[in-house]
Amino acid sequence: SLVSYWSFYNGFMEERFLNGKKRDKSPTTPWEVWDETPKFNDGNAYDTDFLTGKYGSAPHFKGTTASYFRVPHHSDYNFRVDQDFAISFWVKAQETQLDTAATSNVIMSKRGKTSRVNNTAMQVEDVFAGGGNPFHIRMYNHTEATKKGRVLFRRSDTTNLPAIESTTNVADNAYHHIVAQKSGSKLELWVDGTKESETSITTLGQVHNKYDMLMGTKFVSNQGVTSNFKSLKGSLDEVR
């Protein structure tokens, strides 16, 4: 069943401050964007321009640390190890990325703190170790010449990191449809209706965490967005 759907269409955005007061259309003020499913997992777009999308309008991320879309943590996004799922969206990425601190930029991610039971100490502990995550999707930028524009999709239990990459360069300032999914024992990556990569998952432990889901940047600490943002310059549309 559909967990969340953000069309980013104008009719599903509220022109209000987070405290509920009416506001103007300044892009530096967060936009509340409605989840169009009965789950009501609404999110907020920060320092984001809404431009012409694949369908209607779409958020354009500026490639800066302040520009991203954030959805509060919910167990719906902590896809279990044995659970099949699919993440679908349209992405329009700039050929040259602004944030080149790393060779890739984040499209969508839910990674961060993970909890585990310490049977010796008889307590629940928070574990970072890179952060277990149910999904992490990013794109190689122009500094990685041989992989420019390829999409990377992976999961992690902080030790095992099954990952796959596309073959198409999507950093061409045009919209491309991406589906990143787990089907049975395989991870699959589809670009514009063609399956470009798959891999079998042989070993994978706990992948859930307590982090919010972010588009256009990533979490690296429990306090939220801090360093090594890997911010994306581009647009996302029709995310589900």
Side-chain angles (χ1 to χ4, degrees):
S1 62
L2 195 60
V3 172
S4 290
Y5 170 45
W6 300 278
S7 70
F8 297 107
Y9 187 71
N10 288 331
F12 291 94
M13 297 185 297
E14 185 67 41
E15 298 176 42
R16 294 182 181 275
F17 290 111
L18 297 184
N19 62 9
K21 294 182 180 179
K22 192 72 174 177
R23 68 170 183 81
D24 60 21
K25 293 186 177 181
S26 170
T28 58
T29 303
W31 286 86
E32 181 181 14
V33 182
W34 303 343
D35 171 14
E36 296 167 46
T37 75
K39 299 283 188 178
F40 301 114
N41 291 317
D42 301 338
N44 290 287
Y46 294 81
D47 193 18
T48 303
D49 295 320
F50 279 84
L51 307 177
T52 300
K54 180 64 179 179
Y55 303 102
S57 59
H60 176 75
F61 305 112
K62 301 176 182 179
T64 63
T65 58
S67 182
Y68 57 90
F69 181 65
R70 182 175 184 171
V71 182
H73 161 72
H74 195 285
S75 59
D76 284 342
Y77 309 127
N78 273 334
F79 304 120
R80 302 185 310 274
V81 174
D82 60 349
Q83 180 181 359
D84 288 349
F85 65 90
I87 300 169
S88 169
F89 57 89
W90 290 88
V91 61
K92 180 181 180 182
Q94 301 295 307
E95 294 183 25
T96 301
Q97 291 293 311
L98 185 63
D99 185 347
T100 57
T103 59
S104 62
N105 302 89
V106 172
I107 296 174
M108 188 182 311
S109 183
K110 190 183 188 302
R111 62 177 301 186
K113 180 179 285 189
T114 303
S115 296
R116 71 178 180 186
V117 177
N118 184 325
N119 291 319
T120 301
M122 298 297 290
Q123 64 184 13
V124 177
E125 299 176 332
D126 290 324
V127 181
F128 284 92
N133 59 85
F135 60 88
H136 183 66
I137 305 171
R138 64 179 192 253
M139 180 199 74
Y140 290 104
N141 59 43
H142 59 281
T143 65
E144 186 69 44
T146 60
K147 295 185 177 183
K148 175 187 174 182
R150 293 184 183 181
V151 177
L152 172 69
F153 168 42
R154 77 179 189 187
R155 310 186 77 191
S156 170
D157 62 7
T158 73
T159 300
N160 302 290
L161 287 83
I164 50 177
E165 297 177 5
S166 67
T167 57
T168 297
N169 177 1
V170 302
D172 58 359
N173 201 31
Y175 272 105
H176 294 272
H177 187 247
I178 309 296
V179 176
Q181 69 177 23
K182 176 188 174 294
S183 179
S185 62
K186 294 183 181 295
L187 288 184
E188 299 177 353
L189 193 54
W190 295 69
V191 180
D192 295 328
T194 299
K195 183 167 66 174
E196 294 196 348
S197 182
E198 69 175 24
T199 189
S200 295
I201 306 173
T202 55
T203 303
L204 192 64
Q206 177 175 293
V207 296
H208 66 262
N209 61 48
K210 301 176 181 178
Y211 265 67
D212 296 345
M213 181 172 67
L214 286 175
M215 302 177 199
T217 192
K218 73 167 187 174
F219 275 158
V220 292
S221 84
N222 193 42
Q223 284 70 45
V225 182
T226 54
S227 61
N228 192 14
F229 301 92
K230 299 184 179 179
S231 301
L232 177 73
K233 187 176 183 181
S235 301
L236 291 178
D237 202 3
E238 294 290 317
V239 179
R240 64 184 80 195

